[in-house]
């Protein structure tokens, strides 16, 4: 790691609701935060269309526009927002070191990790084409748009089971597509699915193509991988629930994580196992994964960082 060219009090990594909210609070606490946006400036919400469940927007708002509002607010309050990608960190001692775009090393008294998570996709061209126009990776975010309609959900883990039952309350019918002849989900979740009459389970079923009229989803072509029989299901919504990957690989050598890579935080706080390093948003939350919960946890991280720094100043002057 090259020698540092700059020192900052509070470095925030990531530009989703968690990162920008941490920036708003850190800036107002006079921590002069520097925020690196990452490659997808604005995070996962820039890939959605309408957001209706974020309080304060009575008529809903488009995801990219909402994230632009977050950015402007963080900037107006004094955050130094930079387009760049953190490629390595060294948390072996204080101050912490981070490398930007493989070239510049910066040191920081506090680091707030808000790098988020990425939904896994099937990898079909039609899935990309209709993403936001019937294809979604979040039932809680987008299920409402399919009220009274027929939808399909792919996956057989806890997320898929939970989201299928959530969708079943809103939609007329939910096809659940499991690629094997069994679930990965826990027994309790499976029994909820099996006891929901408007969920039709299709085992040994894979998605071949998402069908559409050029604008919106109109159906899904599935194949039974035992019989090779294909079927077109008439649906207007297609939900992908095959897991998420937290964007935490660069922290693996330093921070405690679970087996999947979600960063462990001390319950009720954003504290990680490393002094002065805090984590918020989807990088540490595999359960709720909502813009509002991410934003709330960003606030927590900034307050934790501010209190940590205040404690250090107290020690220096004592
Ligand atoms: P999981 O990895 O547990 O499950 C992924 C599911 O998607 C599996 O059924 C898998 O099939 C299927 N899948 C993967 N790739 C494909 C593909 N290309 N095509 C079709 N199907 C595919 O992810 P989850 O998001 O469900 O859960 C992640 C973690 O979060 C788990 O530990 C889970 O228990 C936890 N969780 C807990 C909740 C709760 O407690 N309320 C709620 C939600 C999640 P296969 O089984 O064949 O590999």
């Amino acid at each position: 790691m090259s020698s540092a060219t700059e020192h900052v009090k509070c470095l925030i990594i990531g530009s989703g609701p968690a990162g920008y909210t941490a920036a708003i609070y850190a800036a107002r606490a006079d921590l002069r935060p520097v925020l690196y946006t990452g490659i997808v400036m604005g995070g996962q919400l820039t890939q959605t269309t309408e957001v209706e469940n974020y309080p304060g927007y009575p008529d809903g708002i488009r995801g990219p526009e909402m994230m632009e509002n977050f950015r402007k607010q963080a900037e107006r309050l004094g955050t130094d927002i930079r387009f760049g990608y953190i490629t390595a960190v060294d948390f072996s001692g204080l101050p912490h070191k981070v490398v930007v775009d493989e070239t510049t090393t910066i040191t920081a008294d506090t680091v707030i990790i808000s790098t988020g998570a990425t939904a896994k996709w099937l990898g079909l061209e039609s899935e990309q084409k209709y993403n936001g126009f019937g294809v979604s990776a979040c039932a809680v975010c987008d299920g409402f748009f399919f009220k009274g309609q027929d939808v399909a959900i792919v996956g057989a883990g806890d997320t898929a089971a939970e989201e299928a039952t959530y969708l079943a309350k809103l939609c007329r019918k939910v096809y659940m597509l499991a690629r094997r002849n069994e679930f990965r989900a826990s027994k309790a979740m499976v029994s909820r699915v099996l006891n929901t009459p408007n969920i039709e389970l299709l085992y040994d079923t894979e998605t071949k193509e998402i069908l559409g009229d050029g604008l919106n989803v109109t159906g899904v072509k599935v194949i039974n991988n035992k019989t090779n029989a294909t079927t077109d299901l008439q649906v207007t919504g297609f939900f992908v629930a095959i897991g998420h990957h937290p964007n935490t690989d660069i922290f693996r050598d330093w921070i405690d994580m679970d087996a999947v890579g979600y960063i462990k935080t001390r319950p009720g706080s954003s504290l990680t196992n490393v002094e002065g390093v805090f984590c918020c948003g989807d990088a540490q939350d595999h359960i709720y994964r909502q813009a509002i919960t991410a934003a709330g946890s960003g606030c927590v991280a900034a307050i934790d960082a501010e209190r940590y720094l205040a404690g250090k100043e107290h020690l220096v002057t004592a």
Side-chain angles (χ1 to χ4, degrees):
M1 205 167 271
S2 61
S3 59
T5 53
E6 184 185 8
H7 180 76
V8 300
K9 225 173 179 179
C10 178
L11 185 86
I12 300 169
I13 311 175
S15 57
Y20 281 142
T21 305
I24 289 165
Y25 275 77
R28 295 187 80 250
D30 207 22
L31 303 189
R32 297 186 299 280
V34 171
L35 181 150
Y36 278 92
T37 60
I39 291 169
V40 185
M41 190 165 172
Q44 293 179 85
L45 277 171
T46 58
Q47 284 150 21
T48 62
T49 46
E50 201 70 6
V51 179
E52 287 196 326
N53 56 6
Y54 199 91
Y57 293 102
D59 301 319
I61 183 166
R62 293 177 67 81
E65 195 184 336
M66 185 166 104
M67 293 323 296
E68 186 57 11
N69 288 346
F70 270 68
R71 186 192 62 74
K72 283 185 190 156
Q73 190 175 357
E75 205 160 47
R76 180 176 73 79
L77 293 166
T79 309
D80 180 351
I81 296 173
R82 302 176 185 173
F83 185 74
Y85 195 67
I86 304 303
T87 46
V89 298
D90 177 348
F91 292 159
S92 58
L94 298 171
H96 298 303
K97 298 183 195 68
V98 304
V99 180
V100 184
D101 295 328
E102 289 178 354
T103 50
T104 315
T105 301
I106 290 178
T107 55
D109 293 326
T110 59
V111 176
I112 296 179
I113 299 171
S114 44
T115 46
T118 308
K120 290 184 188 162
W121 297 98
L122 297 171
L124 301 169
E125 210 175 293
S126 49
E127 179 187 48
Q128 284 291 316
K129 182 174 174 186
Y130 291 108
N131 192 355
F133 299 91
V135 173
S136 165
C138 178
V140 176
C141 315
D142 298 325
F144 184 77
F145 301 119
F146 303 94
K147 218 169 173 183
Q149 301 171 37
D150 294 352
V151 300
I153 183 163
V154 57
D158 278 324
T159 301
E162 199 164 77
E163 297 202 342
T165 49
Y166 178 86
L167 289 169
K169 291 195 192 102
L170 298 168
C171 302
R172 193 172 58 177
K173 175 159 193 170
V174 179
Y175 294 98
M176 189 168 177
L177 316 177
R179 65 179 172 183
R180 292 184 294 137
N181 65 351
E182 59 179 337
F183 280 86
R184 184 178 291 274
S186 55
K187 278 207 172 76
M189 293 304 297
V190 174
S191 117
R192 274 175 65 183
V193 168
L194 298 177
N195 287 309
T196 306
N198 61 335
I199 297 179
E200 182 175 335
L201 253 172
L202 300 176
Y203 287 113
D204 301 316
T205 298
E206 290 179 37
T207 308
K208 268 195 89 136
E209 207 64 69
I210 291 139
L211 310 169
D213 58 9
L215 285 176
N216 295 299
V217 169
T218 55
V220 55
K221 187 181 283 301
V222 297
I223 183 164
N224 182 300
N225 56 29
K226 290 270 157 51
T227 63
N228 276 339
T230 59
T231 314
D232 289 354
L233 306 171
Q234 310 270 303
V235 295
T236 48
F238 182 79
F239 290 85
V240 181
I242 61 173
H244 285 75
H245 182 70
N247 305 319
T248 58
D249 293 353
I250 55 163
F251 308 109
R252 189 167 293 279
D253 291 342
W254 309 100
I255 303 261
D256 286 349
M257 321 180 161
D258 70 11
V260 180
Y262 286 97
I263 289 177
K264 290 185 181 170
T265 50
R266 195 181 296 169
S269 81
S270 65
L271 272 64
T272 69
N273 61 307
V274 178
E275 179 185 339
V277 179
F278 308 88
C279 183
C280 50
D282 287 11
Q284 50 86 56
D285 172 20
H286 69 269
I287 298 172
Y288 301 105
R289 294 197 293 247
Q290 299 300 301
I292 185 69
T293 51
S297 74
C299 160
V300 167
I303 292 175
D304 284 343
E306 194 272 321
R307 290 186 181 160
Y308 164 77
L309 288 169
K312 295 290 259 190
E313 275 163 24
H314 171 73
L315 285 181
V316 171
T317 51

